[in-house]
Amino acid sequence: MNVIVCVKQIPDPASPGELDPSTNQLKRDGKLILDESDSYGVEMALQLVDAAGGGEVSIISMAPNGEMSGMRTALAMGAVKGVLVSDPALAGSDALTTAKVLAGAVQTLGGADLVIAGTESSDGYTGTVPEQMAELLGLPSVTFAKSVKVDGGALKVSRQTEEGFDEVTCPLPALISVTAGVVEPRYPSFKGIMAAKSKPVDTKTAADLGVTAAGWAGAQQAIVEVAQAAARQAGEVIEDDGETFNKIVEFLDGLKVI
Amino acid sequence: MGINNIWVFAQQANGAPTTGTLELLAKARALGGNVSAWFGGDASAIAGALGEHGAAKVFATGDLAGALPGVAVASAMKAVIDGGESPDLVMFPQNYEGRDVMSRLSVKLDRTVITNNTDITVSGDTVTVTTPIFGGNTLVNTSFTGSAPYLAAFRPKSFVAEAAGGAAAEVVAAPVPDLGSTAGAVVTAVHVEETTGPKLDEADVVVAGGRGLGESDKFELIESLAKTLKGAPGASRAIVDAGWVPYSYQVGQTGKVVKPKVYIAAGISGATQHMVGMKGSKNIIAINKDKEAPIFGVADLGIIGDVHKVLPKLIEALKARG
């Protein structure tokens, strides 16, 4: 069973996000790391291939400046190869263009039995790319998978819902998006990290994949204004001396909720 | 020109349209023009309520026989558009089904989608949506620059649901065409997690716990306080990901958006992801050991202290009041 995992390389979420004032685009020019929410997909893929008793995991990513440090993390976990799409013309791409690029990357790898993505990235969180890719690739899809098994050539997925979860079956080939927590991602071993340095990553441009209306030129949307929201005023902050629970009781009493 | 025809993707729960559906219908009506609803299933039970909230008609696919609605409803929409009845704007709720249908439709029409919005304005031919980013501290206004239909998804509670008193919506059959290779994802069983007390996104009081609780057993404190206040327990993403509580408890960007009268954040630092889901609360109480925690920046009452010490005393004091 061959699985392709979409991984996003994002600015470290520990440092605050910032917009580039000239383009109103999220700054992604520093060192990028593997989006934590994609490490679950990589782990899921490795486990499914293991359970199938054969096949391989490949990764695909779109990132500026030929950045692949986040991809190396996924390769160190056990993926065997990658395709990176990096092209200045893709700066400012909307989700649809991103989906076209990633679907193109899947095709350059000759497709797969299963394509896995996260449910949404931690930095842009549009949340539509997986399902858009499924449509572009002509695949059925199950989004928000919280557990995944392959049984008799079909997927058995527990899919998160507002009220609980649904059991869903889906034929292969297919695309799924997996939630954080679906599996426990492994830490790359030292051996894995060393091996990852020499694993092949094929770099492509948008044109290589036949995506023409790229970047700002291709986006059917334009940011017209960026404003600060009305800030919420901080109230009273007090140090607990063992009696502050009384302050909370008084506060609730004042609001008439008790 | 402007916006003449608006479609709203409708959902139902317990035989009635969801609140989210009614919120979108209210806004669609306010924007003017003809408002139609779309439903993946048999719409006869909800046509009355949809009409009352401003939908002149509802396109309904008929029973989906368990198929996930994403590709099915989007394909039915595409068929109606190809048949010559095209909307200028399609409004979706920012949730699982809304996202799936919208994404599929986006590719079928080769149109962009703008998600996570909290507002929309129409000025002449220009449609602009507002999206909060960085935990709601910054608002980005984005205009559609391509050609219609424009596809946009809105966060829950962005608008206020209000009945307009119209007649029942006319049900128009919009069957799902052959889905070819994209068919086959079918729901075989539905599991509903039992909850007691008010629903998280409807409760007057929400008590939410985070990593500061230290271990999963301590979530009991949150449940006990919520019960005492007749509120709903909630959680930060950190402890949902850690498996302490089910996803249905999650408040935040990827969870529920809540706007209760009182929100009590216990052991939650206030990551951007969490703030998006609770900053609209009328009153916020925060208890956290770290005085630098961002949550104190939005709290009306902040207690710098240990939740393990403050919560038991608070629960006891509230119980003593009866």
Side-chain angles (χ1 to χ4, degrees), chain B residues 162-190:
Chain B
E162 202 180 350
E170 176 200 353
V171 179
V172 179
V176 178
D178 179 19
L179 301 177
S181 65
T182 59
V186 173
V187 177
T188 54
V190 174

Side-chain angles (χ1 to χ4, degrees), chain A:
Chain A
M1 174 162 178
N2 292 323
V3 184
I4 296 174
V5 187
C6 307
V7 299
K8 189 164 181 184
Q9 307 176 86
I10 63 168
D12 191 339
S15 51
E18 209 184 324
L19 294 181
D20 181 330
S22 59
T23 62
N24 284 325
Q25 197 190 334
L26 189 63
K27 280 192 181 173
R28 291 183 173 116
D29 47 5
K31 182 179 182 311
L32 302 179
I33 63 166
L34 176 66
D35 189 340
E36 194 199 342
S37 58
D38 288 330
S39 60
Y40 300 96
V42 174
E43 180 63 39
M44 184 83 252
L46 293 168
Q47 291 186 13
L48 287 173
V49 165
D50 226 25
E56 57 185 30
V57 176
S58 308
I59 52 168
I60 57 174
S61 189
M62 169 174 138
N65 310 323
E67 179 66 46
M68 39 177 106
S69 43
M71 291 179 83
R72 293 285 172 212
T73 305
L75 293 168
M77 288 173 72
V80 298
K81 62 179 189 287
V83 173
L84 170 68
V85 187
S86 193
D87 188 336
L90 289 169
S93 293
D94 60 8
L96 180 56
T97 308
T98 305
K100 287 177 184 172
V101 165
L102 292 175
V106 168
Q107 277 154 347
T108 65
L109 285 167
D113 300 301
L114 182 64
V115 179
I116 300 181
T119 54
E120 61 182 16
S121 63
S122 304
D123 63 339
Y125 61 89
T126 311
T128 56
V129 169
E131 189 76 8
Q132 286 172 320
M133 284 178 70
E135 180 68 20
L136 289 160
L137 294 166
L139 296 175
S141 57
V142 185
T143 49
F144 295 93
K146 52 179 232 164
S147 85
V148 185
K149 288 194 180 62
V150 175
D151 184 9
L155 288 169
K156 307 271 182 205
V157 177
S158 291
R159 177 179 194 254
Q160 205 160 274
T161 63
E162 314 280 332
E163 293 84 25
F165 67 96
D166 289 350
E167 289 174 42
V168 180
T169 63
C170 183
L172 291 170
L175 179 145
I176 57 173
S177 74
V178 296
T179 63
V182 65
V183 281
E184 189 61 40
R186 69 192 67 184
Y187 285 105
S189 64
F190 179 71
K191 207 177 136 200
I193 293 167
M194 295 314 288
K197 292 185 200 290
S198 55
K199 286 180 176 172
V201 176
D202 196 2
T203 303
K204 302 273 186 197
T205 63
D208 291 340
L209 303 173
V211 179
T212 44
W216 294 113
Q220 304 168 34
Q221 60 194 64
I223 293 173
V224 291
E225 189 190 10
V226 176
Q228 289 309 303
R232 215 188 147 100
Q233 294 297 318
E236 188 186 7
V237 179
I238 48 177
E239 195 101 32
D240 183 39
D241 56 1
E243 299 298 321
T244 49
F245 68 92
N246 281 318
K247 292 289 280 189
I248 300 178
V249 174
E250 274 171 41
F251 188 83
L252 294 172
D253 203 19
L255 297 170
K256 300 196 179 357
V257 294
I258 51 172

Side-chain angles (χ1 to χ4, degrees), chain B:
Chain B
M1 236 308 279
I3 296 297
N4 297 318
N5 292 302
I6 303 176
W7 285 358
V8 170
F9 176 62
Q11 293 168 292
Q12 74 161 16
N14 306 318
T18 58
T19 310
T21 302
L22 303 182
E23 290 166 6
L24 293 185
L25 284 174
K27 187 62 189 183
R29 220 167 61 220
L31 292 174
N34 306 312
V35 178
S36 306
W38 261 90
F39 186 66
D42 176 354
S44 51
I46 56 170
L50 293 173
E52 226 172 280
H53 285 262
K57 59 185 167 188
V58 50
F59 293 96
T61 59
D63 187 16
L64 293 177
L68 286 181
V71 70
V73 175
S75 300
M77 285 176 162
K78 175 70 162 48
V80 169
I81 292 169
D82 287 347
E85 199 163 353
S86 194
D88 302 301
L89 168 69
V90 190
M91 299 173 78
F92 293 91
Q94 184 77 31
N95 59 25
Y96 304 125
E97 291 187 1
R99 279 217 282 216
D100 283 0
V101 176
M102 174 176 60
S103 306
R104 289 277 180 175
L105 186 62
S106 148
V107 173
K108 288 177 188 297
L109 300 176
D110 198 26
R111 293 290 183 278
T112 195
V113 293
I114 307 182
T115 58
N116 285 298
N117 304 301
T118 55
D119 203 2
I120 179 168
T121 55
V122 176
S123 168
D125 288 346
T126 307
V127 175
T128 305
V129 289
T130 303
T131 320
I133 61 167
F134 301 150
N137 294 328
T138 303
L139 301 176
V140 177
N141 286 336
T142 308
S143 295
F144 288 93
T145 54
S147 46
Y150 305 130
L151 312 182
F154 298 87
R155 292 187 155 276
K157 298 187 169 65
S158 295
F159 311 113
V160 178
E162 202 180 350
E170 176 200 353
V171 179
V172 179
V176 178
D178 179 19
L179 301 177
S181 65
T182 59
V186 173
V187 177
T188 54
V190 174
H191 297 265
V192 175
E193 272 152 13
E194 291 294 327
T195 50
T196 52
K199 283 176 71 177
L200 179 55
D201 48 0
E202 289 169 7
D204 271 344
V205 178
V206 172
V207 184
R211 189 113 53 190
L213 289 168
E215 52 187 341
S216 67
D217 288 354
K218 294 288 190 279
F219 194 76
E220 236 171 57
L221 288 169
I222 301 298
E223 285 181 322
S224 169
L225 179 57
K227 197 172 169 203
T228 309
L229 292 168
K230 297 185 178 62
S236 70
R237 175 170 167 177
I239 70 169
V240 172
D241 284 355
W244 294 6
V245 291
Y247 172 79
S248 55
Y249 283 59
Q250 187 171 319
V251 173
Q253 183 177 291
T254 42
K256 298 247 167 30
V257 175
V258 300
K259 292 187 176 180
K261 197 164 171 189
V262 184
Y263 188 86
I264 303 179
I268 291 177
S269 61
T272 293
Q273 132 83 249
H274 187 72
M275 300 274 226
V276 174
M278 46 67 74
K279 247 172 58 169
S281 304
K282 286 183 199 67
N283 297 281
I284 297 171
I285 301 173
I287 308 162
N288 202 295
K289 266 202 291 209
D290 175 12
K291 65 174 193 295
E292 306 292 335
I295 192 82
F296 289 127
V298 300
D300 300 286
L301 175 62
I303 307 288
I304 304 166
D306 185 346
V307 288
H308 303 101
K309 292 186 180 145
V310 179
L311 291 183
K313 285 182 182 174
L314 176 60
I315 294 164
E316 201 180 320
L318 290 168
K319 280 189 175 154
R321 287 171 60 105

